[in-house]
Amino acid sequence: MYSISQIASVIKASSVLKKPDGVIEHILLDSRKLLFPATTVFFAITGLRRDGHLFIDELYGKGVRYFVVDDQFSEDETGQYPDAVFLQVPDVLLALQSLTAFHRQQFELPVIGITGSNGKTVVKEWLFQLLQDDFNIVRSPKSYNSQIGVPLSVWQINSRHTLGIFEAGISQPDEMQKLAKVIQPSIGVFTSIGEAHGEGFLNIRQKINEKLRLFVKSDLLIYCADDPDMNEAVLLFNSNVRAGDEFKMFSWSRKNEASLQITGIAIEKGLSHISAIFRSLPIELKIPFTDAASVENAITCCCVLLYLGIEPASIAKRMRTLRPVEMRLELKQGINNCSVINDSYSADMNSLTMALDFLQQQQQHEKRTLILSDILQSGKSSAELYADVALILEQKQINRFIGIGTEIGRQKNAFKNIAETVFFNSTAEFKQQFYSQHFHDETILLKGARLFEFEQISHLLEEKIHQTVLEINLNAITHNLNTYQQLLKPGVKLMAMVKAFSYGSGSFEIANLLQFHHVDYLAVAYADEGVELRKAGIKLPIMVMNAEEITFDILVQYNLEPELFSFGMLTSFEDYLMQSGINNYPVHIKLDTGMRRLGFEKNDIPELCSRLATTSVFKIQTVFSHLAASDSVLHDDFTNTQAKAFEEACDQVQQVINYQVIRHIANTSAIHRHKHIQLDMIRLGIGLYGVDADPAIQKLLKNVTTLKTTISQIKKIRAGESIGYSRKGIASKDSVIATVRIGYADGYPRLLSNGVGKMLVSGNAVPVIGNVCMDMTMLDITGVDAAEGDEVIVFGANLPVSQLAVLAQSIPYEILTGISQRVKRVYFEE
């Protein structure tokens, strides 16, 4: 952390100081990502589309008091912000880079700097996977490799780190020297060279030379000597730029003499076998990938590990465990029996070729489709570029090509040899005509520049459409919320449980409603649920009840608050926050008072208090526990015992914390059955969705969810005939059987087979006959007036889910949360 006066000195700023000197821990560039206003300095960077100065007013209102602004910011404007400090500089971006370069100089740790046209992020993430047991590693988040991303990455360094791994990307000359001052790499890695961002350079050689400027002061450079331009440029760099100093080169090659000589690459049973020679000794590696890009990236990583002194046998063992880097290409199940490869991360010739290699590996469908946007930066004319693209598509045997963008549309004649082609000017135009494209039984590759927002297309292709629907009455949720709020004591806060897809009812749709009605907190089970809410614009505090170590990055990125329930979890998150330079991060402490599931136990409390008293990285938002049987009069004594144990433990925790924490233990049933333990906040779960174990309260609630399906076919069955699998259903008389579009894959329990379950057809309760199938169920509708296509109620106001749960020997929680995601949710307000 640095004082604001120290920062002013580093960035050579003139300041308008209107308050005492403050301490800065956090850098902010995006007003939407504010976490800690009191210790944040906002850099008001002016870009092509946005002027950061326009967000000063908003941030000041949110508590930010330190701002770096340019010389155009009028001193008169500072009068609007009496408590603010404004540091004025000629160039805000340069000031950001200067500050983070100064921060980097404070640490003497080895740093790996990675550049290249492709593979930077994969190599960085794989090096992290391979070296995380040897070093405490700080690395670029995602692909933070730009003039802005690199400073944000380097700002993460703290004294606990023993190795840094940072990416650097450029799009025009004179950019890399700025990043080199920030990263100051001791080990350089040059992954590959290609055409991405080539328009800013005269030729490929100029781009290589510019990228090499990252390594002007490095001790070592690792690179592939197979590319003639790359090899020659590196040799000249060594003799001209680094002449006379101690600079080492570590090369690998399949063709030329190199430090690591690749002697063979073979693919067998889903593995790539790599044979090499290093210092006259053979090395054998196996990686769980078969595409060319992964092989090259793995060899590059091997070079780094060899230089760091890792034994070849250990390297070989580690390579077998490499995992995919999910932020790039993804393979998902799509609509109409399609497979969707989503690589809408970048669009250039090299990455396109690699993605097409992956597409070609997929054997589940004969038909292969490519959806491609304009390639924005290639360094070629449009005619030359798309002629090359068309040639590659022909070689890769693409059956259907969909081009999106004005430039690719102008060159449509280049694709005349592909069987099916169609072009759209924009993603919006494609979406308008999406359903006329008839995607089915094919593998579809999405490859688009970020500007085209192909995630919209991905959503359409991956959307699950099913004639069985779950209707959610938003008015009923509001009514139920109000019902429970009226039962609360004055000042008691409310946390709404939206975990498990809001008990099957939906995600952000429910959270939006709760936010509108000003609940105090939301709670989800896992981090990805919270991420979806944040992406949908939910700004309420969100507690994550089952946080995992692998999700720490996204917890912080999306301002999600984890539950800490064990010393292992506490230590892991504490270490993560310290490595990230984050203090006072909001967390929730879980106590086990009798549930015997998660939480710190009674004998853990002294050590827990000691740990909380000596760390500054946590801000304890709440302390809470779970009641095991608050709905049952048989266990009221146990509930009271839990409550007493909880309050005693809370008192001990509160004694070591110099601010007031929120306590909560009451769930839906305890709100009205145990009012004395409402404490500071309650957690409203299943009651919000219209279910309560107390008949008196149940009468006050409204039904929220109605599961509906339709009749696929009606048949007349003779007496004695069997129906369904295993011939379990036998018609006792001539009957009429309706097959409906719901089965156990949709969440309809198989225990409801053979007359146990009932559904409503034309308002009549009719029994299930035969076994419930995966996708269908048969009903005996004898004597009921019905037709194919008619609506069928599986549960709802007139056939409550609680009744269905009893028949299925289950509970409403399980029924609601078990409704499959392929069942479409429909929301309505009356």
Side-chain angles (χ1 to χ4, degrees), residues 768-784:
V768 173
I769 186 168
N771 281 332
V772 174
C773 308
M774 180 181 290
D775 309 298
M776 292 168 280
T777 300
M778 287 70 72
L779 304 174
D780 185 347
I781 63 168
T782 306
V784 175

Side-chain angles (χ1 to χ4, degrees), residues 397-607:
Q397 299 179 327
I398 297 300
N399 308 100
R400 174 156 68 152
F401 176 66
I402 298 174
I404 298 179
T406 54
E407 201 57 40
I408 202 169
R410 292 190 185 101
Q411 305 298 326
K412 60 184 178 183
N413 288 336
F415 302 92
K416 59 186 178 182
N417 293 332
I418 297 176
E420 298 177 42
T421 60
V422 62
F423 297 85
F424 301 91
N425 288 323
S426 66
T427 301
E429 184 180 344
F430 170 84
K431 288 173 62 181
Q432 290 173 357
Q433 300 185 44
F434 173 77
Y435 293 103
S436 66
Q437 298 307 306
H438 305 297
F439 293 102
H440 62 89
D441 299 297
E442 56 196 292
T443 303
I444 306 162
L445 169 62
L446 292 178
K447 197 80 179 84
R450 291 178 179 175
L451 178 66
F452 287 84
E453 298 181 339
F454 268 21
E455 62 269 19
Q456 299 179 42
I457 298 175
S458 174
H459 176 72
L460 288 172
L461 289 169
E462 298 167 8
E463 186 177 14
K464 300 172 179 64
I465 299 174
H466 191 22
Q467 288 197 35
T468 298
V469 300
L470 185 67
E471 288 188 349
I472 295 97
N473 185 337
L474 298 178
N475 300 89
I477 291 181
T478 301
H479 169 86
N480 297 339
L481 175 64
N482 291 335
T483 298
Y484 285 101
Q485 284 179 325
Q486 292 170 8
L487 299 174
L488 300 181
K489 297 177 181 179
V492 174
K493 299 179 183 294
L494 188 148
M495 174 183 282
M497 311 302 290
V498 292
K499 61 180 181 175
F501 204 55
S502 294
Y503 291 68
S505 297
S507 179
F508 66 88
E509 298 89 351
I510 305 302
N512 268 326
L513 182 68
L514 297 171
Q515 181 169 261
F516 178 78
H517 289 286
H518 304 294
V519 303
D520 299 288
Y521 250 98
L522 298 178
V524 297
Y526 295 101
D528 55 353
E529 296 175 315
V531 169
E532 290 303 312
L533 297 182
R534 287 286 185 246
K535 288 181 177 179
I538 301 302
K539 296 180 172 58
L540 288 171
I542 299 175
M543 180 175 75
V544 179
M545 305 185 75
N546 291 284
E548 302 169 277
E549 189 168 346
I550 60 172
T551 66
F552 287 172
D553 283 335
I554 62 173
L555 287 175
V556 172
Q557 180 183 352
Y558 290 97
N559 193 21
L560 304 174
E561 304 174 8
E563 165 191 318
L564 304 182
F565 51 80
S566 68
F567 288 115
M569 177 62 70
L570 186 148
T571 299
S572 296
F573 196 51
E574 183 180 29
D575 289 346
Y576 172 85
L577 293 175
M578 293 175 67
Q579 293 167 18
S580 303
I582 297 173
N583 282 323
N584 296 315
Y585 193 87
V587 298
H588 303 259
I589 302 299
K590 173 69 175 295
L591 306 179
D592 184 356
T593 57
M595 185 75 167
R596 315 310 290 153
R597 196 169 60 178
L598 298 177
F600 293 96
E601 299 183 16
K602 181 178 180 179
N603 57 6
D604 294 329
I605 301 303
E607 182 181 351

Side-chain angles (χ1 to χ4, degrees), residues 26-30 33 43 96 100 138-141 144 146-157 166 182:
H26 308 285
I27 288 174
L28 182 68
L29 306 181
D30 186 337
K33 298 181 180 180
F43 283 77
L96 171 69
T100 50
V138 56
R139 69 192 195 279
S140 306
Y144 278 33
S146 67
Q147 298 293 304
I148 290 175
V150 167
L152 292 177
S153 300
V154 170
W155 185 254
Q156 300 176 104
I157 301 175
F166 301 110
V182 178

Side-chain angles (χ1 to χ4, degrees), residues 258-271:
S259 308
L260 181 67
Q261 193 72 51
I262 307 302
T263 57
I265 298 174
I267 297 174
E268 182 181 353
K269 296 181 179 179
L271 298 175

Side-chain angles (χ1 to χ4, degrees), residues 118-223:
N118 300 103
K120 296 185 293 295
T121 300
V122 173
V123 169
K124 177 200 68 185
E125 293 299 322
W126 280 3
L127 285 175
F128 175 77
Q129 292 179 28
L130 294 165
L131 295 170
Q132 59 183 325
D133 292 335
D134 305 279
F135 298 92
N136 188 337
I137 299 173
V138 56
R139 69 192 195 279
S140 306
K142 297 186 178 180
S143 295
Y144 278 33
N145 56 36
S146 67
Q147 298 293 304
I148 290 175
V150 167
L152 292 177
S153 300
V154 170
W155 185 254
Q156 300 176 104
I157 301 175
N158 64 47
S159 59
R160 295 174 61 87
H161 294 130
T162 57
L163 177 66
I165 309 176
F166 301 110
E167 302 178 41
I170 57 172
S171 58
Q172 59 189 26
D174 300 323
E175 287 186 333
M176 189 59 85
Q177 62 182 343
K178 299 173 183 176
L179 300 185
K181 291 178 181 178
V182 178
I183 298 175
Q184 303 165 36
S186 51
I187 300 171
V189 174
F190 204 136
T191 57
S192 66
I193 194 67
E195 297 169 351
H197 308 294
E199 289 183 348
F201 302 93
L202 296 175
N203 50 46
I204 197 77
R205 190 60 171 271
Q206 184 191 29
K207 184 160 70 166
I208 295 174
N209 289 337
E210 175 68 19
K211 288 179 178 290
L212 283 170
R213 297 176 77 175
L214 177 63
F215 314 120
V216 167
K217 295 186 177 181
S218 299
D219 300 323
L220 172 82
L221 173 61
I222 293 170
Y223 71 102

Side-chain angles (χ1 to χ4, degrees), residues 526-760:
Y526 295 101
D528 55 353
E529 296 175 315
V531 169
E532 290 303 312
L533 297 182
R534 287 286 185 246
K535 288 181 177 179
I538 301 302
K539 296 180 172 58
L540 288 171
I542 299 175
M543 180 175 75
V544 179
M545 305 185 75
N546 291 284
E548 302 169 277
E549 189 168 346
I550 60 172
T551 66
F552 287 172
D553 283 335
I554 62 173
L555 287 175
V556 172
Q557 180 183 352
Y558 290 97
N559 193 21
L560 304 174
E561 304 174 8
E563 165 191 318
L564 304 182
F565 51 80
S566 68
F567 288 115
M569 177 62 70
L570 186 148
T571 299
S572 296
F573 196 51
E574 183 180 29
D575 289 346
Y576 172 85
L577 293 175
M578 293 175 67
Q579 293 167 18
S580 303
I582 297 173
N583 282 323
N584 296 315
Y585 193 87
V587 298
H588 303 259
I589 302 299
K590 173 69 175 295
L591 306 179
D592 184 356
T593 57
M595 185 75 167
R596 315 310 290 153
R597 196 169 60 178
L598 298 177
F600 293 96
E601 299 183 16
K602 181 178 180 179
N603 57 6
D604 294 329
I605 301 303
E607 182 181 351
L608 173 64
C609 291
S610 176
R611 292 286 297 274
L612 296 180
T614 56
T615 183
S616 63
V617 299
F618 299 140
K619 172 69 183 300
I620 312 302
Q621 299 294 91
T622 77
V623 178
F624 74 106
S625 187
H626 265 88
L627 296 174
S630 65
D631 58 340
S632 173
V633 67
L634 298 176
H635 301 292
D636 281 350
D637 287 344
F638 186 79
T639 297
N640 289 326
T641 299
Q642 278 194 267
K644 182 180 178 182
F646 175 68
E647 293 192 62
E648 290 174 352
C650 283
D651 289 341
Q652 295 179 61
V653 172
Q654 185 65 73
Q655 288 177 10
V656 301
I657 299 174
N658 59 5
Y659 51 85
Q660 191 65 39
V661 299
I662 296 172
R663 305 163 301 158
H664 54 108
I665 190 172
N667 55 8
T668 295
S669 291
I671 291 171
H672 52 87
R673 293 202 70 252
H674 303 278
K675 292 185 178 182
H676 64 289
I677 56 173
Q678 288 182 4
L679 303 179
D680 303 312
M681 183 162 69
I682 58 88
R683 299 190 303 273
L684 179 59
I686 194 74
L688 188 63
Y689 308 98
V691 179
D692 195 292
D694 188 324
I697 299 297
Q698 182 66 57
K699 290 180 181 179
L700 301 175
L701 303 179
K702 288 187 177 181
N703 179 70
V704 171
T705 53
T706 301
L707 181 59
K708 297 180 178 181
T709 188
T710 58
I711 296 175
S712 298
Q713 191 175 24
I714 295 176
K715 291 187 175 183
K716 294 182 178 179
I717 304 295
R718 294 180 180 176
E721 284 192 86
S722 63
I723 298 96
Y725 285 119
S726 303
R727 303 189 67 205
K728 292 294 184 180
I730 304 294
S732 59
K733 60 181 185 302
D734 291 350
S735 305
V736 179
I737 305 300
T739 299
V740 298
R741 295 181 172 95
I742 190 170
Y744 55 77
D746 302 293
Y748 192 71
R750 201 166 179 270
L751 280 171
L752 297 176
S753 300
N754 302 307
V756 176
K758 294 177 174 58
M759 298 185 196
L760 297 179

